[in-house]
Amino acid sequence: MYKNSIKAYKKSSDLIPGGVNSPVRAFKSVNCDPVFFKRGKGSKLYDVDGNKYIDCVSSWGPLIFGHADKDTVKAINKYSKDGTSYGAPTLHETEMAKKIIEMVPSVEKVRMVNSGTEATMSAIRLARGFTGKRRIIKFAGNYHGHGDSFLIKAGSGAITLGLPDSPGVTKNTAKDTLIASFNDIKSVEKLFRSKANEIAAVIVEPVSGNMGLVLPNNGFLKALRKICSDNEALLIFDEVMTGFRLAKGGAQEIYNVTPDITTLGKVIGGGLPVGAYGGRSEIMNSLAPIGPVYQAGTLSGNPLAMQAGLSVLKKLDNKLFQKLDTISNEICVGIQKNIDEIEINAVISRIGSMMTLFFTDKKEINNYEDAMACDTDKYAKYFKHMLDMGIYLPPSQFECCFFSSVLTRDDVKKIIKSNRVALQKLV
């Protein structure tokens, strides 16, 4: 069933470290070899063995309108004829900037980059340069890309100084990153009491998508906003996943909290590599060439990525987000019914078109510790059962499903039916 994928993985492993260009693709956490895909169309993915899958990952978020969306393909084809990159200013960048500023009220100016990691790294440098302070606070279980400042895990109690979580990250870098516990404002307050004059920024996924989907408790984000304002630190919302995926204005629109800097990615490239960060003009004007904080990128604002992203952003409206919510809610309700009837220890976390099924006896997942206590072996078996039935899920318990607007009624029914079969095999 997967013989060509197995051959492809063996070949790639001779040429690429681990056989993949991003670790989660190796399927290590689900105890099987990765599937190699050949093409995608609409809600479906097709692998090199000819197997067809209903895609519940959507390239980790950007494909709101599914694979090979006609408007996105049309934009890429149209503008590629004029050249793929110039390393010079274009009107495409200005058009994208105008659209982002129009849709995200907290952003008054925006800088384009090439990935979410580049956006968050740049946002941290900007925050340090603007405030003149060196330390940042991040939350255990929040992932902000592979920049050195972010590859820090929580120490004992999740609120102590971190230690490097990857070789190559120096202890001095780690010392500048303070770790708090998601949904625990007291852990943030404690860090500010001890290091208040040194903290440049707090960076947070307003809706966490990298320890599985974990929602902010009522008032948590507003409390973060207040503590940052009170201590002259910047609040950075990492909306690389949630931006334009949960609402036109992202999670900050849903929770009515205004960050100082917002990082974006995924959707604004329409499936092509892209990132951006933006905020108040006063802060953004600290960037070179008009300010002292340096950041650059030859391919930043690439015309194909800009137009691919615009082909998506221009179609986002309340009707579309309602459709996404309806599709996702139906899947969620169906799976919850299966859980209840089969009586398996599992809980669903969902907001909009993002969802995670956790295997746990807890009633809800609130933080990193809750997520780490989940049964990852059971998820691995569940993933494989679903894969064999033609449902492609995130190959990790600690990732999210991202549903697209092109999932059909039959797709939704098959996802729910396959879920029931898979859960029954686990009990």
Side-chain angles (χ1 to χ4, degrees), residues 306-362:
M306 295 294 94
Q307 288 299 332
L310 283 164
S311 75
V312 175
L313 296 187
K314 289 176 179 178
K315 295 193 290 186
L316 299 183
D317 55 26
N318 292 336
K319 185 177 179 181
L320 182 278
F321 286 109
Q322 182 58 56
K323 181 179 181 180
L324 282 170
D325 190 69
T326 299
I327 290 170
S328 305
N329 184 63
E330 186 174 349
I331 294 171
C332 183
V333 169
I335 292 177
Q336 185 62 59
K337 182 180 178 182
N338 292 340
I339 291 170
D340 294 340
E341 292 180 354
I342 295 170
E343 297 183 342
I344 190 169
N345 288 331
V347 64
I348 303 171
S349 180
R350 182 185 77 90
I351 182 171
S353 56
M354 296 172 64
M355 188 192 85
T356 298
L357 172 62
F358 295 96
F359 288 97
T360 178
D361 58 4
K362 295 180 180 292

Side-chain angles (χ1 to χ4, degrees), residues 91-103:
L91 297 178
H92 309 293
E93 300 160 78
T94 306
E95 185 180 2
M96 174 61 82
K98 182 180 179 181
K99 193 65 177 175
I100 291 173
I101 292 166
E102 170 191 312
M103 296 176 75

